Amino acid sequence: MTTAFAKPENALKRAEELLNVGQKQEAWDTIHRLITSRRYRAWTKTLERIMFKYIELCVEMRKGAKDGLNQYRIMCQQVNVSSLEEVIKHFMHLSTERAELARSQADALEEALDVDDLEADRRPEDLMLSYVSGQKGKDRSDRELVTPWFKFLWETYRTVLEILRNNSKLEALYAMTAHRAFQFCRQYKRTTEFRRLCEIIRNHLVNLNKYRDQRDRPDLSAPESLQLYLDTRFEQLKIATELELWQEAFRSVEDIHGLMCMVKKQPKPSLLVVYYAKLTEIFWMSSSHLYHAYAWLKLFSFQKSFNKNLTQKDLQLIASAVVLAALSVPPYNRGHGTSHVEQENGKERNSRMANLIGFILDPKLEGREVLSRSSLLSEVASKGILSCVMPEVKDLYYLLELEFLPLDLASKVQPLLSKISKIGGKLSSASSLPEVQLSQYVSALEKLAALRLLKQVSEVYQTMKIDSLCKMIPFVEFSFLEKISMDAVKYNFLSMKIDHIKNAVIFSSMDIEAEGFRGQLMFLAELLNKSRAMIHRPEEKASKIGLVLPGLSETVEKEHKRLLARKSIIEKRKEEQERLLLEMEREEETKRLKLQKLTEEAEQKRLASEYEQRKNQRILKEIEERELEEAQALLQEAEKRSKKKGKKPVLEGEKVTKQTLMELALSEQLRERLEMEKKLQKLVKTMDFLERAKREEAALLIESAFQHRLIEEKILHEREQRQEIELSRERHDGDLKEKKRLARMFEHKHQFQDKVMNRRQTEYDRLKTERAERINHILQQRRQEMEIKRKMLFFLKSEEQRLKKLQEEEEARKHEEAERQKKEAAEHQAKLDRIAEKQRQREQEIEERLRKSSEGPARHSDLNGGGSGSDSRTSATAPAASAGPPPGKYVPKFKQRLDNPGQGPTPDSMQWGNGRADERSQPSDRWRSDDRRPTYGFGGGSGSRSSWSSSSRR
């Protein structure tokens, strides 16, 4: 029954009264009805207090508060939004506090169960439960205590995000809630909930763009709103990488990129650094080494441009990571030889990844023409990154990309790789970057070194032993070398084969025109021809003479058939020739189309090559201009120095060229270097003389100080030795006195010890006896329980068998009874059929006799003179009538009445009546009902006749 309150204060008072008597559900229902009622739509301070109480009850009872919060948002959205913020913060605070409390209780319970003797402290029920369920105490306590509160906390975050979504007045609270939900997923490793949370936030943004006419819709073009949305997405990206959910991290990066494209504004450089840092991790985990290197290149550019606190060491480490990432890219194109569908999918995937790192690919051109390993390395060289890297990385770059050392490449690369594997650490000036470890590139660099060595060896050698090749590449196993070499052959980077029979590696071309391959094909064709000849042997031609001799008619018939067959063959050949002509025309058309396609491809390649040439020329021109600027800068510095020294300018008023400037700059540098080396040599010589003089003077003083120190240490040693001897004597005398004092208590000590040991032994024996008795008692009790249980089981089993046997006997009896009844019913039905047949026959006889008897008087009236004949017939029939029917035969009463008129019942009829009475007394004669049963005797002819007639009709 719902109660309408005049004022909200009354509802709050009523809820508190119900809480005081322990009726939480009724109190919650009271407040819930008040909040969801349409009567109270204006916000007041009392409603805020009621909402706080409602939130507390929801948390305590683990009930959802979505309906109440929705109604409260409608109340205060236009009046007092801060009140809604306070309520939601209180809701999340209480939910988080209860979840943490449940977690601490579970941990405390686990610590309380962590005892030495588990069998003594744990109850038998707990042991049986643990054995049956197969779960530990912590798992059960987490499921009973922690999991329900975690579910409630997760539902709380979902509810709050759903309420605060797409509202410009609540977007700060929305961002804070999303951050707290992310921290919840990270703290408790909730990967499934994190995916759902990302999908929820993503759907909210989609709905924001879909419904643009929504009231209080956030404006993403505003800097504050954009910053909140970007912070939320970047926090989502960080948590995804920490949880190692790389697919979700990639989708988060796409969300950030889509948000930046939507508002057409770039975020802060610090956020972009985080963006590209996370991209490097994602691309590395997805084995997209090319885009991983491009992401590092972008990251280096941003760090160098915007990070003013970047130290030289950090810059060197980042530049080294860029170069190593570029070197880790495989030197061949993995798209070679793939299908058209795979190429299209690869183009789409490359376009998406290129857009993420800030490159826009032309869909008409392939991605590898714009983003490739060669273009990446040229960009690295053109931007001067190699000048910032570590010496080991620079040496490794020159060895792998520029040098040709087929025999010494591995021996020179291996020490560099061992040094690089130890380089790395946290960047001091770039806190947003992760820890940079160059050791992650060692395996890729080893693979690249092996491929480079194979490529260089293939240009020098044609055949090489496998053992020699393994010695040349000591840091790679042969199985791994075989695997990467097969990949290189597959993607058309190498042309080689491994002959395990000869234990050799063969570097050669494997095209169809090779001599060995052509010989193998010819040998295979010969073997196939021989096999065909053995399977299908040619038939021997019969003699024509033997065919002609038997008869000319047969020969003519065969010739006629042959001509018909020849005609059909000619027609088929004509059709085949026409078909071949059509195929030739089709092939020519196909060739023409292919030629046209090849021409178009050649034109495209020419255009692409021209574009590449123009690009290279532009790059070379830029390089030359940059070198010219550098040379001019060096020349200007040299002129400044020469002016300071009062020298004549190098080339004043003369026409200079780039080569002249470079030569002058280099000569000036060489001259300065020589002057500096001379100064350093002179300084070294001066310092050498000065240091030698110092040491010669100090040698005598050091020797005298050493001798004086020896004398002092000897005196000190002797004094300390005498003191130690005196102290040892004093301690020894004191120990002797203490021993003499304690010797008189030795006997009492033994007595006390024996007394204590005897008491402990007695107590131990008593406890041991009690324990044995208790164990025996428990064992006896368990034996009795087991015996009772066994007897009970035996009794139940016996009773079940007895009942089953009785049931089977009852079913068998019922089955026999049913069979007997069926049999009796069949016999009874057969007997009834026989009786009915007899009755039908007798009725026919009676009707025949009646018909004859009705004809008799008419015949007697017509034959007036035949008295003698009739008398003779009458006399003949009289004995027959007097004789009567044979005993046991049924005679109808009307016949008896006709045969013996005026007489009583004959003895035979009485006997028949008695016989019928006896038959009616038997069970087999119960087929006739009382109304159908005739009365036998005198005067019953009409009733008998009608009864038989009715029975016959039936």
Side-chain angles (χ1 to χ4, degrees), residues 867-922:
S868 60
S870 84
D871 294 337
S872 63
R873 285 193 297 272
T874 306
S875 62
T877 58
S882 64
K889 185 175 181 181
Y890 171 75
V891 179
K893 290 182 180 181
F894 69 88
K895 188 176 180 182
Q896 294 177 4
R897 193 166 57 248
L898 291 174
D899 293 340
N900 301 312
Q903 295 183 3
T906 61
D908 295 336
S909 65
M910 295 299 292
Q911 183 179 359
W912 171 251
N914 294 333
R916 293 297 295 177
D918 294 339
E919 288 177 0
R920 287 196 304 271
S921 65
Q922 295 178 1

Side-chain angles (χ1 to χ4, degrees), residues 589-650:
E589 183 67 20
T590 305
K591 288 180 180 179
R592 187 183 64 78
L593 293 176
K594 285 183 179 179
L595 183 61
Q596 183 180 357
K597 186 177 180 181
L598 291 174
T599 307
E600 292 176 356
E601 290 179 355
E603 182 67 20
Q604 291 178 359
K605 289 181 180 179
R606 185 184 65 79
L607 294 175
S609 62
E610 290 179 357
Y611 171 75
E612 190 69 24
Q613 289 177 2
R614 289 195 301 271
K615 182 180 176 182
N616 293 332
Q617 290 175 1
R618 179 176 54 80
I619 292 171
L620 292 174
K621 187 176 180 181
E622 290 176 358
I623 292 172
E624 291 176 357
E625 290 177 356
R626 192 178 299 112
E627 289 177 353
L628 184 60
E629 291 175 359
E630 291 176 357
Q632 288 179 353
L634 292 174
L635 188 59
Q636 290 175 2
E637 290 179 2
E639 290 178 355
K640 290 179 182 178
R641 285 195 296 270
S642 62
K643 286 181 180 179
K644 288 180 181 180
K645 296 179 182 179
K647 296 182 180 180
K648 183 181 178 182
V650 183

Side-chain angles (χ1 to χ4, degrees), residues 112-126:
L113 292 174
D114 190 10
V115 294
D116 295 334
D117 191 359
L118 293 175
E119 295 183 358
D121 290 343
R122 295 178 69 181
R123 296 178 298 172
E125 296 89 340
D126 297 335

Side-chain angles (χ1 to χ4, degrees), residues 348-577:
E348 182 181 358
R349 183 174 61 253
N350 294 337
S351 177
R352 289 173 60 189
M353 291 190 290
N355 289 334
L356 292 180
I357 57 177
F359 290 92
I360 300 175
L361 299 183
D362 188 0
K364 296 180 181 179
L365 297 176
E366 296 187 6
R368 61 175 180 270
E369 295 180 358
V370 179
L371 300 180
S372 62
R373 188 176 186 273
S374 58
S375 61
L376 175 62
L377 290 175
S378 63
E379 191 171 356
V380 166
S382 63
K383 288 187 176 181
I385 300 177
L386 290 174
S387 61
C388 303
V389 300
M390 298 178 179
E392 295 85 358
V393 177
K394 184 182 288 186
D395 295 342
L396 184 65
Y397 172 79
Y398 284 123
L399 284 174
L400 294 177
E401 296 298 327
L402 302 177
E403 299 291 340
F404 185 80
L405 301 169
L407 300 178
D408 301 333
L409 182 61
S411 60
K412 291 186 177 182
V413 166
Q414 189 173 9
L416 295 176
L417 291 178
S418 61
K419 291 181 182 179
I420 290 172
S421 63
K422 300 175 183 178
I423 300 173
K426 183 72 176 178
L427 301 181
S428 59
S429 59
S431 58
S432 58
L433 275 181
E435 186 178 1
V436 179
Q437 293 292 342
L438 302 184
S439 57
Q440 64 177 344
Y441 301 108
V442 172
S443 59
L445 293 173
E446 289 178 350
K447 179 180 177 181
L448 176 65
L451 289 175
R452 289 297 186 196
L453 191 141
L454 287 174
K455 185 69 173 177
Q456 295 177 7
V457 168
S458 65
E459 296 177 4
V460 177
Y461 295 96
Q462 290 184 351
T463 305
M464 177 177 284
K465 290 289 185 181
I466 294 178
D467 298 336
S468 303
L469 187 61
C470 292
K471 290 179 182 179
M472 292 175 63
I473 313 175
F475 51 82
V476 175
E477 296 290 337
F478 181 71
S479 58
F480 180 73
L481 183 64
E482 186 176 7
K483 180 181 178 181
I484 63 174
S485 62
M486 292 302 102
D487 288 340
V489 171
K490 176 182 177 181
Y491 296 117
N492 203 21
F493 181 73
L494 287 175
S495 178
M496 58 176 287
K497 60 181 179 179
I498 300 174
D499 192 345
H500 288 280
I501 298 176
K502 298 179 181 179
N503 195 23
V505 178
I506 302 170
F507 301 100
S508 62
S509 177
M510 283 298 292
D511 54 354
I512 199 70
E513 297 298 330
E515 182 178 357
F517 199 81
R518 187 170 62 250
Q520 292 178 3
L521 288 177
M522 292 173 63
F523 181 70
L524 178 62
E526 291 176 0
L527 289 178
L528 289 175
N529 287 329
K530 289 181 181 179
S531 302
R532 181 178 176 279
M534 292 174 65
I535 294 171
H536 303 287
R537 296 182 179 276
E539 297 180 358
E540 296 181 358
K541 295 181 180 179
S543 177
K544 292 183 180 179
I545 300 174
L547 296 175
V548 174
L549 291 177
L552 185 61
S553 60
E554 295 180 359
T555 305
V556 172
E557 184 68 24
K558 289 181 180 179
E559 186 68 18
H560 179 65
K561 290 181 180 180
R562 187 181 67 80
L563 291 174
L564 292 176
R566 184 171 178 272
K567 182 179 179 182
S568 63
I569 290 171
I570 291 170
E571 291 177 355
K572 287 182 181 179
R573 286 178 179 176
K574 288 181 180 179
E575 293 176 357
E576 184 69 18
Q577 188 175 5

Side-chain angles (χ1 to χ4, degrees), residues 25 844 859 943:
Q25 182 64 38
Q844 290 178 359
R859 191 182 300 122

Side-chain angles (χ1 to χ4, degrees), residues 669-848:
Q669 286 183 356
L670 181 60
R671 186 181 60 78
E672 291 178 356
R673 192 180 298 116
L674 291 175
E675 290 179 357
M676 185 60 68
E677 287 178 359
K678 290 179 181 179
K679 290 180 181 179
L680 287 175
Q681 288 178 0
K682 186 177 180 181
L683 183 60
V684 165
K685 195 172 183 180
T686 305
M687 293 298 292
D688 186 18
F689 287 144
L690 182 59
E691 187 65 25
R692 187 181 302 169
K694 284 182 183 179
R695 293 190 180 186
E696 287 177 356
E697 293 294 331
L700 298 175
L701 298 175
I702 292 171
E703 181 64 26
S704 62
F706 175 70
Q707 295 298 331
H708 182 67
R709 182 67 179 274
L710 284 177
I711 295 169
E712 290 179 353
E713 288 181 353
K714 184 176 181 181
I715 296 170
L716 180 62
H717 174 68
E718 291 174 355
R719 184 170 66 250
E720 289 179 351
Q721 192 172 8
R722 287 195 299 270
Q723 291 177 358
E724 184 64 29
I725 291 170
E726 292 176 358
L727 289 174
S728 298
R729 285 175 181 173
E730 291 176 359
R731 284 196 296 268
H732 181 67
D733 295 338
D735 292 341
L736 289 176
K737 290 178 182 179
E738 186 69 18
K739 180 181 179 183
K740 198 178 292 183
R741 187 178 68 83
L742 296 175
R744 59 189 179 84
M745 293 186 287
F746 190 71
E747 184 177 356
H748 297 287
K749 175 252 183 185
H750 278 292
Q751 292 176 0
F752 179 74
Q753 183 179 358
D754 295 338
K755 183 179 179 181
V756 172
M757 292 300 294
N758 291 332
R759 186 173 71 252
R760 291 182 179 177
Q761 184 67 31
T762 304
E763 183 69 18
Y764 171 74
D765 295 338
R766 182 180 65 78
L767 292 175
K768 185 176 180 181
T769 305
E770 290 178 358
R771 183 175 178 274
E773 292 176 356
R774 187 167 64 256
I775 291 172
N776 291 331
H777 178 68
I778 293 172
L779 291 176
Q780 186 66 23
Q781 187 177 2
R782 289 183 179 177
R783 290 194 191 98
Q784 292 177 1
E785 291 176 356
M786 290 176 65
E787 185 67 22
I788 293 170
K789 186 176 180 181
R790 185 182 62 79
K791 289 181 178 179
M792 181 61 69
L793 291 174
F794 177 74
F795 172 72
L796 293 174
K797 188 175 181 181
S798 302
E799 187 66 18
E800 184 180 355
Q801 291 177 355
R802 185 181 67 79
L803 293 175
K804 186 176 181 181
K805 187 175 181 182
L806 289 175
Q807 185 178 3
E808 291 176 354
E809 291 176 355
E810 182 66 21
E811 291 178 355
R813 187 184 64 76
K814 289 182 179 179
H815 183 70
E816 291 176 358
E817 183 67 20
E819 292 292 332
R820 187 180 63 77
Q821 289 179 0
K822 287 182 181 180
K823 188 175 180 181
E824 289 179 357
E827 292 176 356
H828 182 63
Q829 184 66 30
K831 189 173 182 180
L832 291 177
D833 294 339
R834 289 195 300 271
I835 291 172
E837 182 65 25
K838 289 179 181 180
Q839 288 176 354
R840 187 178 60 77
Q841 293 176 1
R842 286 168 185 164
E843 287 179 357
Q844 290 178 359
E845 292 177 358
I846 290 168
E847 290 176 358
E848 183 68 24

